[in-house]
Amino acid sequence: MGIIIGICDNEDKWRNQILECIMEYASDCQQKIECRMYASAEEYLQAERHADILLLEAGMTGMSGMSGIELKDWLDRTGNREAILFISSHKDQMGEAFGKNVYGFLEKPIQKERLFVCLDKIIAARKDRGQIRIGKGRYLFSDKIMYVKSIDKYVEIHTIDSIEVGYFSMKECERILSETGFRRVHKSYLIHFRYVIKIEAEIVMQDGRMIRLMRGTVKELKEEYSDYIRRQARR
């Protein structure tokens, strides 16, 4: 599984121009990149899986009238963590194109050299935030990982849509995924609170997996989970 880059713009010509630039970038830097295109904010929200990096037309509006800026605000409120790169033909929209996960603003027509610099910056920043390397040019973003299971000398990494194998120790995995939201709950399991459904004597994960807790840790874990939920609600 590589990096998913979304292009959200209501004009075909701009989506196609940006797609060509991204395919050239993927070839130049030997990154495994999948591109997905969306004609409106509504189409993006209805997608089964969101992008890791989203190139978003700032002034675009769809059937409901949701602009690119409003889509960014909605993603912020709901705890989504796409890296957003705004695009627009109107420089005066730059003043609104900022936020926690916003990495820049590009004017149309897109200059590929500037786009490449921005993509380099985003991918480097994402690696620093807990991205796991599972092979040559293959990375998993930590916010897509539900839990990690230790099996002998390797780990199974369960993401929202796949199971990957990492040939490193659970201790190393725990170090990489040290950002808020991950917790070692058993000698064999590291979980992401984002994908927890319920905590009792066992943790129920989003995919139905039930993970038995270490003895005496239920109360503490419930408190940590509640703190995590409160932090997400304030975002």
Side-chain angles (χ1 to χ4, degrees), residues 3-28:
I3 298 169
I4 295 178
I5 298 181
I7 305 167
C8 191
D9 193 300
N10 55 354
E11 294 191 57
D12 289 344
K13 69 173 183 178
W14 296 124
R15 291 198 304 271
N16 291 330
Q17 189 241 336
I18 295 166
L19 176 63
E20 288 182 14
C21 291
I22 291 173
M23 290 298 93
E24 185 176 337
Y25 174 82
S27 176
D28 286 353

Side-chain angles (χ1 to χ4, degrees), residues 24-126:
E24 185 176 337
Y25 174 82
S27 176
D28 286 353
C29 67
Q30 297 185 323
Q31 284 276 0
K32 186 177 180 182
I33 290 173
E34 177 186 344
C35 270
R36 299 181 183 181
M37 299 198 286
Y38 311 92
S40 67
E42 292 83 2
E43 189 177 335
Y44 181 72
L45 291 175
Q46 290 165 9
E48 185 176 340
R49 181 182 170 189
H50 287 183
D52 300 309
I53 301 171
L54 180 62
L55 277 78
L56 178 60
E57 163 57 55
M60 169 193 64
T61 56
M63 293 177 292
S64 70
M66 179 181 276
S67 70
I69 299 290
E70 289 167 335
L71 173 58
K72 181 268 297 180
D73 291 340
W74 188 92
L75 294 170
D76 277 350
R77 289 195 303 271
T78 53
N80 285 266
R81 296 179 60 191
E82 292 91 332
I84 294 174
L85 187 57
F86 276 113
I87 53 177
S88 182
S89 301
H90 306 288
K91 205 170 185 178
D92 58 355
Q93 292 177 327
M94 189 182 298
E96 297 180 83
F98 63 91
K100 185 173 182 180
N101 295 313
V102 176
Y103 283 79
F105 182 99
L106 297 175
E107 283 190 85
K108 299 175 184 175
I110 302 302
Q111 296 178 21
K112 69 179 182 180
E113 292 79 10
R114 290 196 63 196
L115 174 61
F116 290 3
V117 168
C118 288
L119 291 176
D120 282 344
K121 177 183 174 183
I122 292 169
I123 290 171
R126 288 270 162 151

Side-chain angles (χ1 to χ4, degrees), residues 74-187:
W74 188 92
L75 294 170
D76 277 350
R77 289 195 303 271
T78 53
N80 285 266
R81 296 179 60 191
E82 292 91 332
I84 294 174
L85 187 57
F86 276 113
I87 53 177
S88 182
S89 301
H90 306 288
K91 205 170 185 178
D92 58 355
Q93 292 177 327
M94 189 182 298
E96 297 180 83
F98 63 91
K100 185 173 182 180
N101 295 313
V102 176
Y103 283 79
F105 182 99
L106 297 175
E107 283 190 85
K108 299 175 184 175
I110 302 302
Q111 296 178 21
K112 69 179 182 180
E113 292 79 10
R114 290 196 63 196
L115 174 61
F116 290 3
V117 168
C118 288
L119 291 176
D120 282 344
K121 177 183 174 183
I122 292 169
I123 290 171
R126 288 270 162 151
K127 289 178 185 178
D128 291 341
R129 288 170 58 184
Q131 194 181 55
I132 291 183
R133 184 176 187 273
I134 58 171
K136 186 176 180 180
R138 298 186 66 222
Y139 293 87
L140 296 177
F141 289 130
S142 59
D143 53 359
K144 305 297 182 184
I145 297 171
M146 291 191 291
Y147 57 89
V148 180
K149 181 181 180 182
S150 175
I151 302 177
D152 196 18
K153 294 182 180 179
Y154 65 95
V155 294
E156 277 186 355
I157 304 168
H158 293 247
T159 76
I160 57 177
D161 56 9
S162 68
I163 300 174
E164 305 288 343
V165 175
Y167 291 96
F168 40 78
S169 69
M170 179 64 95
K171 185 176 180 180
E172 175 65 8
C173 196
E174 198 173 359
R175 183 190 67 77
I176 297 170
L177 297 174
S178 58
E179 63 178 90
T180 302
F182 283 90
R183 175 68 148 78
R184 184 81 170 265
V185 296
H186 184 277
K187 66 178 182 179

